[in-house]
Amino acid sequence: MAAKKVKARVDELQAQIRKLAERFDQEREKQVSSLEQQLEKARERVSQEIQRQRENLGNLEKLQAEYREKANANLKKQLDRARKSVDEARSRVSESEGRKMLLEAEVKVLKATAKQAHSLAKVISQYEKDLEKRAREIEKKVKPAVKKAAAKKKAPAKKAAAKAAPKKAAAKKAPAKKKAARKAPARKKAPAQ
């Protein structure tokens, strides 16, 4: 009997142990499934976060690429402008140097022309002086001859004037007589009408 009681007690304890083990297994399964669900949710959240991070990284790379392109384009434009301004400055400098050379050449030509003009003016002035001197010499030589010729011309001129004076007086009187003769017939005709 005692053995039966012990055996019953052992069976009873084993049954309780089994129930506890089953409960423990169920509880453990619940906790494991709960943990698995939590882990799955965590995995999903992590994968979503990783996906978001990848998208952000992709967007960041796109932005960086766009920024690089814009920066390169702006830099290229600035370099082109700088090159253009340098080329324009060089062309202006070369033009100004060319102008300077032309002006210098023009100045040299003008100076040479002025020297030539000055020397020509000297030659012309000397030539004028020589001509004036020659004219004076000719005048000195000609004056005595002119005086003699003038004296010779004056004597016949006086004689001719003396002869011409009576003729002029007679010529003056003659037209007066003719005028008077013309007037007289006009008067005679008037009363006849």
Side-chain angles (χ1 to χ4, degrees), residues 33-74:
S33 66
S34 174
L35 286 170
E36 282 177 353
Q37 286 175 358
Q38 287 176 1
L39 185 63
E40 191 62 34
K41 286 178 182 177
R43 278 182 189 152
E44 285 177 13
R45 270 188 256 135
V46 167
S47 66
Q48 286 175 357
E49 189 65 29
I50 288 169
Q51 187 64 30
R52 227 180 288 134
Q53 292 293 332
R54 281 180 186 160
E55 288 173 2
N56 288 339
L57 188 62
N59 290 337
L60 184 64
E61 285 175 355
K62 282 180 185 176
L63 286 172
Q64 283 178 342
E66 286 176 9
Y67 179 75
R68 274 192 213 112
E69 285 175 11
K70 286 179 183 176
N72 287 337
N74 287 334

Side-chain angles (χ1 to χ4, degrees), residues 122-135:
K122 279 185 179 178
V123 169
I124 290 167
S125 175
Q126 188 62 44
Y127 187 66
E128 283 177 352
K129 286 177 185 175
D130 291 345
L131 286 175
E132 285 174 6
K133 188 177 177 183
R134 180 81 176 131

Side-chain angles (χ1 to χ4, degrees), residues 171-184:
K172 284 181 182 175
K173 288 177 184 174
K177 287 180 184 176
K178 285 179 185 176
K179 283 180 186 175
R182 283 182 201 156
K183 285 181 184 175

Side-chain angles (χ1 to χ4, degrees), residues 1-2 17 26 32 42 53 59 67 76 79 119 122 129 136 143 156 165 168 172-173 187 191:
M1 245 186 74
I17 288 169
Q26 287 174 356
V32 166
Q53 292 293 332
N59 290 337
Y67 179 75
K76 191 176 179 183
L79 285 172
S119 63
K122 279 185 179 178
K129 286 177 185 175
R136 278 189 231 117
K143 272 185 184 178
K168 282 183 184 176
K172 284 181 182 175
K173 288 177 184 174
R187 286 182 195 159

Side-chain angles (χ1 to χ4, degrees), residues 79 81-99:
L79 285 172
R81 284 182 198 152
R83 282 186 193 128
K84 193 175 180 182
S85 61
V86 166
D87 290 341
E88 287 174 359
R90 280 182 185 159
S91 65
R92 275 189 235 128
V93 166
S94 64
E95 283 175 9
S96 65
E97 285 177 358
R99 284 185 199 147

